[in-house]
Amino acid sequence: MIRFFEDYSLKNYNTFGVEAKSRYFFEFTELEDLTEFLQANTSWKDESFFLLGGGSNLLFVNNFDGLIIHPNVPGVQVVHETRNQVWLEVGAGEDWDRFVDYCVKSEYYGLENLSLIPGTVGAAPVQNIGAYGVEVKDFVDTVNGFDLESMSTYSIPAEQCRFAYRNSIFKQELKNRFVVTSVVFRLEKFPEFKLDYGTLKAEVEARGELHPIHVREAVMAIRQSKLPDPAELGNAGSFFKNPVVDHELAGQLKAEFPEMPSYPAEDGKTKLVAAWLIEQCGWKGFREGDAGVHKLQALVLVNYGQATGQELFLLSQKIKASVVEKFGVELEPEANIL
């Protein structure tokens, strides 16, 4: 099935709920729909492309003067399994949290720490989504899709996806070029628990038996206590990445701010907590018009109703500047700003 529109409103395609329009909008549910559409309309090669999933990690600052491609491919199927593991191919259009729920109920484990993250399956490897000590890269086997430049279909094994913290090849060389149509995940039949992040272990233990269902319930409870539901209050979850800094700078900051939380990162570096940095600068609960910072989580920018993308972006810039001034640390947006 295909849907094609001109001058199309994107308000329902971004969880901030800001108004923006796309010059052209194309949605498809089967790979053949995309290839046929592009082959029949070769002039699209001259247009700017943007690949849109669930819009849960996106801030529209302007209208988009080009073609938005929205993969809405459905389906979950077992493609291979052994005694200990199972491989599932999942359509890019599947809702991420519904997929995690399906996995836990089917006794396929590994993704339960990533419960309640908004968005689609196709966007998960692009962003290399992560939460509570787990990143999706650890469970991706293959990413399947269509290359808009070479006009060809191919698969990319996980080891070639260049996964990093909230990053991948799909945000670099293949940005707005490789349309993810499905993802193959390799999951475990016997759970391996990761409960060291924050209060997760205590939340799980409060539910009794150590079981992936209880891990999922605990993660959902923690997230719901801290993060607003985009259906009720427009937001894109964590707006900034947790900054990773040199060990020397981290030591200097720790000496000046002993209460500053930090975690070991790769290459001997240190990961700081962006929410803490922002809160120390006084932004938690801030509101100007309908653009604001959530009262319970300083990392979340919110739209109280009629905020524009430009207003939310300007607020993010003010937050960045204040963190640099106080801590000498540059925050990078986790949200994609368009």
Side-chain angles (χ1 to χ4, degrees):
M1 183 191 80
I2 67 170
R3 297 169 70 234
F4 178 76
F5 303 96
E6 295 186 35
D7 195 30
Y8 191 63
S9 172
L10 301 169
K11 187 171 184 177
N12 293 329
Y13 289 86
N14 72 98
T15 55
F16 265 121
V18 300
E19 183 58 79
K21 290 187 175 182
S22 176
R23 184 179 179 189
Y24 304 109
F25 181 93
F26 176 74
E27 177 184 340
F28 68 95
T29 57
E30 295 182 34
L31 175 59
E32 292 75 13
D33 297 331
L34 175 64
T35 56
E36 289 177 9
F37 174 79
L38 294 173
Q39 289 167 358
N41 301 273
T42 55
S43 61
W44 292 120
K45 279 201 167 185
D46 299 326
E47 294 288 345
S48 297
F49 290 103
F50 183 76
L51 310 180
L52 175 65
S56 60
N57 196 49
L58 177 65
L59 176 62
F60 284 110
V61 177
N62 300 296
N63 293 330
F64 185 72
D65 187 25
L67 173 66
I68 282 186
I69 297 177
H70 178 54
N72 198 18
V73 180
V76 180
Q77 62 175 331
V78 175
V79 293
H80 180 63
E81 63 181 309
T82 64
R83 179 181 179 274
N84 296 321
Q85 296 180 314
V86 61
W87 284 255
L88 300 174
E89 182 173 6
V90 190
E94 290 288 335
D95 178 83
W96 174 259
D97 190 58
R98 280 200 295 268
F99 169 57
V100 175
D101 184 57
Y102 163 84
C103 290
V104 173
K105 290 177 178 176
S106 300
E107 300 183 343
Y108 303 146
Y109 304 127
L111 302 178
E112 47 275 2
N113 287 42
L114 305 182
S115 293
L116 214 61
I117 294 178
T120 61
V121 166
V126 176
Q127 180 72 2
N128 184 23
I129 59 173
Y132 302 101
V134 173
E135 290 183 317
V136 78
K137 69 178 178 63
D138 298 323
F139 302 96
V140 170
D141 180 85
T142 310
V143 180
N144 304 315
F146 183 81
D147 191 316
L148 295 170
E149 188 171 297
S150 64
M151 296 291 283
S152 62
T153 302
Y154 56 90
S155 300
I156 304 177
E159 57 270 22
Q160 295 179 17
C161 290
R162 299 184 194 174
F163 288 124
Y165 174 57
R166 302 299 177 270
N167 209 343
S168 70
I169 193 173
F170 310 107
K171 293 183 73 174
Q172 302 299 325
E173 296 95 315
L174 297 182
K175 184 176 181 179
N176 289 325
R177 169 182 159 183
F178 189 81
V179 184
V180 176
T181 54
S182 70
V183 183
V184 178
F185 296 91
R186 182 193 64 258
L187 302 176
E188 303 295 327
K189 292 184 177 180
F190 300 95
E192 297 179 6
F193 300 99
K194 292 189 177 181
L195 306 176
D196 296 333
Y197 200 95
T199 61
L200 181 56
K201 185 176 182 180
E203 286 282 349
V204 174
E205 290 176 345
R207 287 164 170 75
E209 177 191 3
L210 182 58
H211 192 280
I213 289 178
H214 291 153
V215 175
R216 173 167 163 77
E217 290 175 351
V219 169
M220 293 174 68
I222 295 170
R223 290 184 68 90
Q224 288 170 334
S225 70
K226 294 182 177 181
L227 300 173
D229 183 349
E232 300 175 2
L233 186 63
N235 73 92
S238 300
F239 193 86
F240 295 103
K241 299 178 184 179
N242 287 324
V244 177
V245 302
D246 291 336
H247 184 68
E248 182 179 356
L249 175 57
Q252 293 171 359
L253 289 172
K254 199 74 173 177
E256 186 175 355
F257 305 97
E259 71 283 11
M260 180 187 74
S262 62
Y263 301 91
E266 294 180 355
D267 301 324
K269 295 189 176 183
T270 301
K271 182 183 292 187
L272 308 182
V273 179
W276 187 88
L277 300 174
I278 295 168
E279 186 172 347
Q280 299 311 302
C281 293
W283 289 105
K284 190 175 182 179
F286 174 86
R287 177 172 178 174
E288 186 173 39
D290 276 354
V293 179
H294 194 251
K295 62 183 180 180
L296 298 179
Q297 174 52 270
L299 198 53
V300 178
L301 272 60
V302 294
N303 177 6
Y304 284 101
Q306 301 300 320
T308 66
Q310 188 66 236
E311 289 169 340
L312 288 161
F313 175 70
L314 290 175
L315 174 58
S316 75
Q317 295 299 100
K318 292 178 183 177
I319 292 171
K320 283 184 60 175
S322 69
V323 172
V324 169
E325 182 178 359
K326 187 176 181 70
F327 298 102
V329 175
E330 184 85 22
L331 294 180
E332 287 185 48
E334 185 171 322
N336 192 358
I337 299 169
L338 190 64

